[in-house]
Amino acid sequence: MTPTDMFTQVGSVIASVMFAWAMFKQYCPYNLQEIIDKYSKRAFTFIYPYIQISFNEFTGDRFMRSEAYSAIENYLGSRSSTQAKRLKADVVKSSQSIILSMDDHEEVEDEFQGVKLKWAAGKHFSKTQSVSFNLVTDEKKYYRLTFHRRHRQLILGDYLNHVLKKGNEIKVRNRQRKLYTISESYWRHVVFQHPASFESLAMEAERKQEIMDDLLVFSTAEEFYARIGRAWKRGYLLFGPPGTGKSTMIAAMA
């Protein structure tokens, strides 16, 4: 049998199977289709050794973006730039840096404690009827994690905690800083772009070092505050007439 004849035969078999499946979907009773679909999925799950977890972009009725999805997006950024063939690029507001993420239907691999995993980005569509009675296509994005079922406890515990922690740390580094002031009982903010730092701050050296040490201790004490049941925050009271360096001190702290 020549390669041409073999491909022709395979194509004919596939076409026949697709035709038979289409006829089955059209004429088979809906209840019977549900039963067949239910037990076929159970049989496939019994044979298939991998577990899949989906993280949707929005929770509830699309009112709130999932924090888990955002953390995963940040975590996969560096892996996407080195592994994915199709990438999406975005620029952080008021910044020259470009944030990369993998495009839809792309996959990247990760490794944790010697265990290999696979992340995939995808989206699915559903049609909903709007107020004007027109069908509107609703796009829902998600990340899907695939791993072998023998690593279930490791992945559901340590690995996912590791992903969320690292993703949130990246989010903090990339987020836009804002300077808040209160005026007439309303809080207002401007984008923080102050060039001040402790190196350029005119202040007594001992007092400056004392504040810097206090800030460094506080920045690494999140677990301590959680252990004693207190909110992880710290306040400083700055007072004085205009021009004495209050805003400059705030900028250096930030």
Side-chain angles (χ1 to χ4, degrees):
M1 181 181 293
T2 63
T4 303
D5 294 336
M6 184 175 63
F7 282 118
T8 301
Q9 187 173 359
V10 171
S12 177
V13 172
I14 294 175
S16 300
V17 171
M18 292 178 65
F19 176 78
W21 178 248
M23 292 296 100
F24 171 80
K25 295 285 287 184
Q26 183 173 356
Y27 295 106
C28 181
Y30 181 74
N31 292 337
L32 181 59
Q33 290 187 33
E34 278 193 330
I35 294 174
I36 294 175
D37 184 59
K38 174 182 176 181
Y39 286 100
S40 62
K41 286 182 178 179
R42 286 187 178 181
F44 180 76
T45 303
F46 181 76
I47 299 173
Y48 189 64
Y50 293 95
I51 295 175
Q52 293 183 338
I53 305 176
S54 295
F55 300 86
N56 295 317
E57 182 179 12
F58 291 93
T59 59
D61 296 326
R62 295 184 63 85
F63 292 123
M64 184 179 298
R65 197 167 193 258
S66 169
E67 293 184 6
Y69 181 93
S70 299
I72 293 168
E73 186 175 43
N74 294 326
Y75 176 80
L76 295 177
S78 59
R79 290 155 184 78
S80 301
S81 61
T82 57
Q83 296 184 31
K85 296 181 179 179
R86 292 181 296 114
L87 297 165
K88 293 184 294 186
D90 193 12
V91 179
V92 178
K93 191 178 293 185
S94 302
S95 174
Q96 300 297 322
S97 60
I98 295 178
I99 304 299
L100 297 175
S101 59
M102 58 181 174
D103 204 354
D104 299 326
H105 311 299
E106 275 288 303
E107 293 184 351
V108 296
E109 293 183 351
D110 193 17
E111 186 172 343
F112 182 75
Q113 296 184 10
V115 176
K116 292 186 177 180
L117 318 95
K118 185 178 294 184
W119 286 97
K123 61 182 178 181
H124 48 80
F125 302 92
S126 61
K127 292 184 178 180
T128 57
Q129 195 169 24
S130 65
V131 178
S132 60
F133 301 102
N134 294 323
L135 289 177
V136 178
T137 301
D138 187 18
E139 178 182 292
K140 297 180 180 179
K141 297 182 179 180
Y142 62 87
Y143 284 112
R144 179 166 292 160
L145 172 63
T146 304
F147 57 93
H148 200 283
R149 60 189 177 195
R150 66 170 172 264
H151 304 302
R152 177 192 289 265
Q153 291 185 350
L154 175 65
I155 302 306
L156 297 183
D158 294 344
Y159 176 71
L160 288 181
N161 290 334
H162 165 76
V163 170
L164 296 179
K165 182 179 179 180
K166 292 297 181 182
N168 288 327
E169 289 176 356
I170 296 172
K171 178 182 178 180
V172 170
R173 289 200 301 267
N174 293 337
R175 72 183 177 186
Q176 186 183 38
R177 291 180 173 86
K178 299 176 182 179
L179 188 64
Y180 286 83
T181 58
I182 188 169
S183 175
E184 299 178 356
S185 301
Y186 291 98
W187 284 98
R188 307 177 189 277
H189 71 267
V190 294
V191 177
F192 171 72
Q193 294 178 323
H194 203 292
S197 65
F198 273 102
E199 287 75 14
S200 61
L201 191 64
M203 188 178 181
E204 295 178 2
E206 294 182 0
R207 186 59 173 167
K208 183 192 299 187
Q209 189 63 46
E210 180 183 350
I211 295 175
M212 292 174 61
D213 292 342
D214 184 69
L215 288 169
L216 289 174
V217 171
F218 168 73
S219 66
T220 58
E222 181 179 6
E223 294 183 359
F224 170 75
Y225 277 76
R227 189 168 62 252
I228 64 176
R230 296 182 60 185
W232 186 43
K233 62 181 181 180
R234 192 162 187 80
Y236 292 87
L237 177 62
L238 306 178
F239 63 94
T244 54
K246 298 185 298 298
S247 298
T248 303
M249 170 64 79
I250 294 171
M253 288 180 171

